[in-house]
Amino acid sequence: MEQALYVYNTLTRRKEVFKPLNEGHVGMYVCGPTVYGDAHLGHARPAITFDIVFRYLMHIGYKVRYVRNITDVGHLEHDADEGEDKIAKKARLEQLEPMEVAQYYTNRYHDAMDALGCLRPSIEPHATGHIMEQIDLVDEILNNGFAYESNGSIYFDVESYNKKHKYGILSGRSLENVKDASRELAGVGEKRNQADFALWKAAQPEHIMRWKSPWSVGFPGWHCECTAMGRKYLGNHFDIHGGGMDLVFPHHECEIAQAVASQGDEMVKYWIHNNMITINGQKMGKSLGNFITLPEFFSGKHPQLEQAYSPMTIRFFILQAHYRSTVDFSNDALKAAEKGLERLMDAWKLLGTLQPVAGGTVKLQTVEEIRQHCYDAMYDDFNTPIVISNLFEACRLINSIADKKETIDADALEAMKQLFSVFVFEILGLKETSAGGENKEREEAYGKVVDMLLEQRMKAKQNKDWATSDQIRDQLAALGFEVKDTKDGYSWKLNK
């Protein structure tokens, strides 16, 4: 019997057996970045979370169409309907074309995600490339009586929608809750009700990102893009919609309302949301001075960073917590993640040096049990921290075998190599890189130089030239290398 995959559905607030709408195929849409600045740690978490979902669904045999959008218009300051477009503002301040700003930061986002080991999505649509689809969506909602025009802008009529359907099914908010919260904003303005949200905004004369529509020259509301592009590339009904928990309300709540108002029923079967990352217990924010971009993490150039952290350390740090748990960043937490990643990679390197022994104490059954525990964790809502804890048990066995405390037979050794290949590299997406981010060729050359020095030390010891032997050992120690003499020669590692 095939093992069932359980996923937590934010809509129903429970774990459910994953059953795709089309057997063997999965459609997944994930909200991507608004490209007006460098990606930060908060961008890394959903990218890594849904990279794991993407990788695992493919691993267990599904054909996945993974769509992740680029928001390059319509994301306004203050709230979803008011203020200046963030990309347009950046373009005005820097005297650039808006698409120059969007392209520059899209390229930098791709570079950061590649470094983090995230696979590229199947399709990466831009909001500005799908204006007509968004206009068609707005027109359908208007024709169905769930929107109204006001001074060339189109607003979703939340109260009218709530009479026939229920607004707030994803976030658990009632319309009265939304109205009460909305009263904090100044004035109703063009809206009938402050809880209503913009589907299309008429552009003011100074607004530089604008398109023709049946109602005005303007631009789409932020919420429209995902509904329109999700439907275009995945159909009226698809399996997974993902993003951070900060998008549950209002963005994803509005998406549900738009879909139902336009086509009569819900578009998405499973809503999956990752939790937030905090910094020293506080939410990240530029106003708090704790906003750290990914390039700053990689370089160490930020006042709150004690050192540079490699992309793989960031990835491992995020995977150590379940995606639905809050993760709090601190230098100590990242240093611990760096050590944990080092432990895994050291074990992988040691694994290549082990020799099988007939009738070894570590047998195939032991490795298969670890492997099954890893699968059980992934089938239980992608529980990567449990996978990592089981991989650490494999590391313990490898170190014990390397220290001659145990032995391993040939079948178990091959299974252990497969375990690491599948779970460490294919599913968790980790890569062999050094903390400083050097490329593999440089690292290998670096290791050969250290080995050459230690071979000279071995010869000095054989010739009883203790002074030279001690000098090489002490000089390597001063550079941060830990050297151990073993029965077979030596071993070494670079302490962080």
Side-chain angles (χ1 to χ4, degrees):
M1 180 179 178
E2 289 186 4
Q3 197 163 354
L5 172 62
Y6 285 84
V7 299
Y8 185 87
N9 191 346
T10 310
L11 185 64
T12 60
R13 296 168 182 78
R14 65 173 183 266
K15 286 183 187 177
E16 299 178 2
V17 175
F18 181 71
K19 294 181 179 179
L21 296 167
N22 297 309
E23 188 175 353
H25 293 74
V26 175
M28 180 170 76
Y29 189 101
V30 175
C31 289
T34 303
V35 284
Y36 69 99
D38 274 327
H40 52 74
L41 203 57
H43 289 118
R45 193 166 196 198
I48 291 170
T49 294
F50 293 100
D51 183 61
I52 292 293
V53 174
F54 185 33
R55 287 171 178 270
Y56 196 64
L57 289 173
M58 290 193 295
H59 175 75
I60 59 178
Y62 288 110
K63 184 176 181 180
V64 184
R65 178 176 288 175
Y66 173 18
V67 181
R68 185 182 67 205
N69 70 296
I70 295 290
T71 299
D72 53 4
V73 68
H75 202 301
L76 307 186
E77 294 185 312
H78 310 310
D79 66 41
D81 300 333
E82 305 297 334
E84 187 174 6
D85 185 286
K86 292 179 179 180
I87 293 173
K89 180 180 179 180
K90 189 94 171 179
R92 176 174 56 78
L93 292 174
E94 298 185 11
Q95 297 184 317
L96 298 170
E97 282 291 325
M99 288 301 99
E100 282 185 271
V101 173
Q103 189 64 56
Y104 176 78
Y105 286 111
T106 298
N107 292 345
R108 288 179 67 83
Y109 176 78
H110 286 155
D111 290 343
M113 295 306 111
D114 290 347
L116 289 171
C118 295
L119 302 175
R120 293 285 180 100
S122 315
I123 304 172
E124 191 174 56
H126 291 233
T128 52
H130 297 79
I131 300 298
M132 291 310 301
E133 287 85 354
Q134 293 175 76
I135 289 173
D136 288 344
L137 172 69
V138 175
D139 199 41
E140 289 172 11
I141 296 171
L142 263 173
N143 291 337
N144 289 340
F146 295 113
Y148 57 90
E149 182 178 354
S150 178
N151 298 327
S153 294
I154 309 296
Y155 292 96
F156 191 95
D157 191 338
V158 174
E159 195 157 345
S160 174
Y161 174 83
N162 195 57
K163 288 177 182 177
K164 293 188 178 180
H165 308 283
K166 179 167 171 52
Y167 183 76
I169 61 173
L170 186 66
S171 63
R173 303 186 187 204
S174 68
L175 181 56
E176 290 308 312
N177 294 149
V178 177
K179 285 180 179 179
D180 290 342
S182 299
R183 284 173 191 154
E184 298 172 9
L185 298 173
V188 172
E190 298 177 331
K191 303 179 185 180
R192 293 177 184 170
N193 188 306
Q194 192 63 47
D196 296 346
F197 57 90
L199 298 172
W200 183 266
K201 289 284 287 183
Q204 298 301 313
E206 67 274 10
H207 200 99
I208 55 178
M209 299 178 77
R210 52 176 62 211
W211 293 263
K212 289 182 179 180
S213 79
W215 318 288
S216 64
V217 174
F219 53 92
W222 170 39
H223 309 306
C224 288
E225 61 180 278
C226 294
T227 307
M229 294 189 292
R231 183 162 66 181
K232 178 178 177 67
Y233 295 109
L234 297 173
N236 285 6
H237 305 97
F238 57 89
D239 301 296
I240 296 171
H241 195 320
M245 286 192 72
D246 57 326
L247 297 177
V248 170
F249 187 88
H251 187 48
H252 289 163
E253 196 72 78
C254 293
E255 281 194 57
I256 290 175
Q258 289 171 161
V260 174
S262 62
Q263 65 186 41
D265 59 0
E266 292 175 39
M267 185 178 290
V268 179
K269 187 174 182 181
Y270 303 95
W271 287 88
I272 300 178
H273 293 90
N274 63 273
N275 215 322
M276 300 294 98
I277 292 182
T278 56
I279 295 184
N280 298 322
Q282 290 183 307
K283 185 179 178 181
M284 284 189 300
K286 290 183 179 178
S287 62
L288 297 172
N290 62 3
F291 187 86
I292 308 175
T293 67
L294 291 175
E296 287 171 335
F297 273 106
F298 302 159
S299 68
K301 294 178 181 178
H302 188 279
Q304 291 205 28
L305 297 175
E306 295 178 5
Q307 64 178 72
Y309 297 99
S310 74
M312 284 300 105
T313 297
I314 300 293
R315 186 179 179 96
F316 189 77
F317 166 69
I318 288 172
L319 293 177
Q320 280 183 305
H322 191 271
Y323 76 87
R324 288 191 285 114
S325 301
T326 302
V327 175
D328 188 50
F329 156 80
S330 67
N331 280 282
D332 288 344
L334 270 181
K335 287 176 184 176
E338 189 174 66
K339 290 291 184 185
L341 178 61
E342 180 186 8
R343 182 181 173 193
L344 266 185
M345 294 307 166
D346 284 349
W348 169 248
K349 290 171 185 174
L350 268 180
L351 191 54
T353 69
L354 301 183
Q355 296 298 318
V357 174
T361 56
V362 177
K363 301 187 184 299
L364 178 61
Q365 182 181 351
T366 300
V367 183
E368 286 186 337
E369 285 175 359
I370 295 173
R371 172 180 171 274
Q372 187 57 51
H373 290 328
C374 289
Y375 274 115
D376 291 343
M378 288 302 296
Y379 275 109
D380 185 16
D381 198 27
F382 313 103
N383 202 327
T384 56
I386 299 299
V387 173
I388 290 170
S389 69
N390 280 283
L391 291 172
F392 281 159
E393 172 58 19
C395 291
R396 186 193 65 78
L397 287 174
I398 291 167
N399 288 325
S400 184
I401 295 163
D403 290 340
K404 310 297 184 185
K405 295 176 182 176
E406 296 193 65
T407 55
I408 187 168
D409 66 30
D411 289 342
L413 181 58
E414 183 58 33
M416 188 73 84
K417 290 177 180 178
Q418 282 296 313
L419 174 72
F420 270 68
S421 179
V422 169
F423 280 95
V424 175
F425 303 115
E426 180 187 342
I427 294 173
L428 295 186
L430 297 168
K431 295 185 286 190
E432 291 183 82
T433 59
S434 63
E438 292 94 343
N439 61 44
K440 190 173 180 181
E441 290 77 12
R442 255 182 95 184
E443 190 174 350
E444 287 176 352
Y446 190 59
K448 287 176 182 177
V449 171
V450 177
D451 285 335
M452 182 175 66
L453 285 170
L454 289 174
E455 290 293 342
Q456 292 298 317
R457 179 173 177 265
M458 288 287 291
K459 290 178 181 178
K461 284 179 69 177
Q462 290 168 4
N463 295 329
K464 298 184 179 181
D465 182 358
W466 310 119
T468 301
S469 171
D470 291 345
Q471 183 184 27
I472 294 172
R473 181 198 62 204
D474 293 344
Q475 287 180 343
L476 286 172
L479 292 170
F481 292 93
E482 181 182 330
V483 178
K484 286 185 179 180
D485 292 316
T486 67
K487 292 179 181 178
D488 301 322
Y490 61 85
S491 66
W492 63 270
K493 68 176 181 177
L494 177 61
N495 291 320
K496 302 296 186 286

